[in-house]
Amino acid sequence: MSEGAILVVEENDPVLETDFMKEMVKQMRSLDMYDTYEGWSEAKILDPFVMTKERKREMPVIGDPDEIIISRIKAFYNAISTLIEKECKLMAVPLVNLSHEGFGRVIISTGKLIVVDKVLRDVHRFGFKSLSKMKDDADKLLSVALEIIGKYPDVAGM
Amino acid sequence: MSEGAILVVEENDPVLETDFMKEMVKQMRSLDMYDTYEGWSEAKILDPFVMTKERKREMPVIGDPDEIIISRIKAFYNAISTLIEKECKLMAVPLVNLSHEGFGRVIISTGKLIVVDKVLRDVHRFGFKSLSKMKDDADKLLSVALEIIGKYPDVAGM
């Protein structure tokens, strides 16, 4: 995804107005050490999260994830952690563990409770069909997390 | 710790007969891809886990952990996971996450329950004052883990 690449996210996509996408933009900006995103629109910052068929086709089938991809994965799970915190007022800690072959495991814990536990594959092609799909996936993770916390508040508060 | 280094673990140290140390040797052998330990005694295999003052003095204060140290840390937490499994008949999964600066976090989970959660510092100098101290530390982690599992068996079985 070079600077000159064609954007697939539209500037006025209403999904950009959701809490999750606003948090995503915040996370991406906080990981942006060199102010690369200075002056960028939200659509442009989140655009690389959309992995269309065409974009996928341009990528190697097997590859090592680079720093940029890893920071995107962290931003995604950081954003989910932040939303969990907002909802349940308990600290949620993400842990992203990647092996060199592009496999990995992500967990988010609240107290002693694992509220998100995901195996990652093909990390170098991390992305979603559309921003709406990304928000759907995040919503699902969030609702499962909140359900587990609701069921075991003691463990989540440990 | 080169091949020619003086061993501090004695061949007939009774701690070598404990379940934990036998499991440690098994873990070390299973991580030994190149049969380096062929013909080595248990004392010799476990010797590098002892970090005496003299050995510590020889190491840099700050350093990046190398593959060998990382495999030792994995062996230690794998062994604890195995003992947890033996005691409670539930799968225990270790996750070792190290940053480049030698900091890290280790968790062991059983179901959705985090039964061990440790922050690691100075990973490049990972070790214990003696084998007995190592076994004590392992016993403590094990007993805390089993206590949490006993308290929240539902979460541990999820």
Side-chain angles (χ1 to χ4, degrees):
Chain A
M1 237 81 58
S2 66
E3 278 257 7
I6 300 154
L7 301 189
V8 296
V9 174
E10 300 200 24
E11 294 292 343
N12 53 1
D13 189 331
V15 79
L16 291 169
E17 295 304 312
T18 60
D19 280 357
F20 178 70
M21 288 303 164
K22 292 208 171 293
E23 186 56 43
M24 276 303 308
V25 171
K26 222 185 268 180
Q27 291 293 339
M28 288 297 282
R29 288 206 187 274
S30 78
L31 295 170
D32 179 31
M33 303 291 185
Y34 305 108
D35 287 333
T36 315
Y37 302 152
E38 182 86 45
W40 285 29
S41 68
E42 298 183 347
K44 191 171 177 187
I45 292 174
L46 297 182
D47 192 77
F49 284 93
V50 179
M51 185 57 72
T52 58
K53 272 189 193 161
E54 290 69 34
R55 285 182 174 176
K56 216 171 209 168
R57 214 175 294 137
E58 283 170 23
M59 308 196 90
V61 175
I62 296 167
D64 263 348
D66 59 19
E67 290 287 321
I68 295 172
I69 295 271
I70 293 169
S71 77
R72 272 180 218 148
I73 293 171
K74 287 187 175 167
F76 180 72
Y77 289 99
N78 283 351
I80 291 170
S81 300
T82 304
L83 293 195
I84 293 171
E85 287 187 2
K86 275 186 187 162
E87 288 285 337
C88 72
K89 316 287 177 214
L90 291 167
M91 205 170 83
V93 186
L95 184 61
V96 177
N97 199 53
L98 301 176
S99 72
H100 288 295
E101 299 81 25
F103 279 79
R105 190 180 168 207
V106 180
I107 66 158
I108 299 176
S109 59
T110 311
K112 297 276 181 210
L113 192 62
I114 295 178
V115 298
V116 170
D117 193 347
K118 250 186 110 58
V119 171
L120 299 178
R121 285 188 189 83
D122 292 335
V123 166
H124 70 295
R125 302 197 289 182
F126 178 78
F128 304 84
K129 275 188 191 159
S130 64
L131 272 202
S132 301
K133 181 72 173 69
M134 180 177 172
K135 192 190 169 301
D136 284 353
D137 284 5
D139 283 348
K140 266 179 220 158
L141 289 173
L142 181 65
S143 76
V144 170
L146 295 175
E147 197 188 314
I148 302 175
I149 294 168
K151 209 169 165 187
Y152 301 106
D154 289 7
V155 187
M158 267 175 93
Chain B
M1 238 84 59
S2 66
E3 279 257 7
I6 299 154
L7 300 188
V8 295
V9 174
E10 299 201 24
E11 293 292 344
N12 53 1
D13 189 331
V15 79
L16 292 169
E17 295 305 311
T18 59
D19 280 357
F20 178 71
M21 289 302 165
K22 292 208 171 294
E23 185 57 42
M24 276 303 307
V25 171
K26 221 184 269 177
Q27 290 293 340
M28 288 296 282
R29 288 205 187 276
S30 78
L31 294 171
D32 179 30
M33 303 292 185
Y34 305 108
D35 286 333
T36 314
Y37 302 151
E38 182 86 45
W40 284 29
S41 69
E42 298 182 347
K44 191 172 176 186
I45 291 174
L46 297 182
D47 193 77
F49 284 92
V50 179
M51 185 59 68
T52 58
K53 272 188 195 162
E54 290 70 33
R55 286 182 174 176
K56 216 171 211 169
R57 214 175 294 136
E58 283 170 22
M59 309 196 90
V61 175
I62 295 167
D64 262 349
D66 59 18
E67 289 288 322
I68 295 171
I69 295 271
I70 293 169
S71 76
R72 273 180 217 148
I73 293 171
K74 287 188 175 167
F76 180 72
Y77 289 98
N78 284 351
I80 291 170
S81 301
T82 304
L83 292 195
I84 293 171
E85 287 188 2
K86 274 185 187 163
E87 288 285 338
C88 72
K89 316 288 179 213
L90 291 167
M91 204 169 84
V93 186
L95 183 60
V96 177
N97 199 53
L98 301 176
S99 73
H100 288 295
E101 300 80 25
F103 279 79
R105 189 180 169 206
V106 181
I107 65 158
I108 300 176
S109 59
T110 311
K112 297 276 181 212
L113 192 62
I114 296 179
V115 298
V116 170
D117 193 348
K118 248 184 111 60
V119 171
L120 299 178
R121 284 188 190 84
D122 292 335
V123 165
H124 69 294
R125 302 196 291 180
F126 179 78
F128 304 85
K129 275 188 190 160
S130 65
L131 272 201
S132 302
K133 180 72 174 70
M134 181 176 170
K135 192 189 169 300
D136 284 353
D137 284 5
D139 284 349
K140 266 178 222 159
L141 289 173
L142 181 64
S143 76
V144 170
L146 296 175
E147 198 189 313
I148 301 175
I149 294 169
K151 208 167 164 189
Y152 301 107
D154 289 7
V155 187
M158 266 175 91

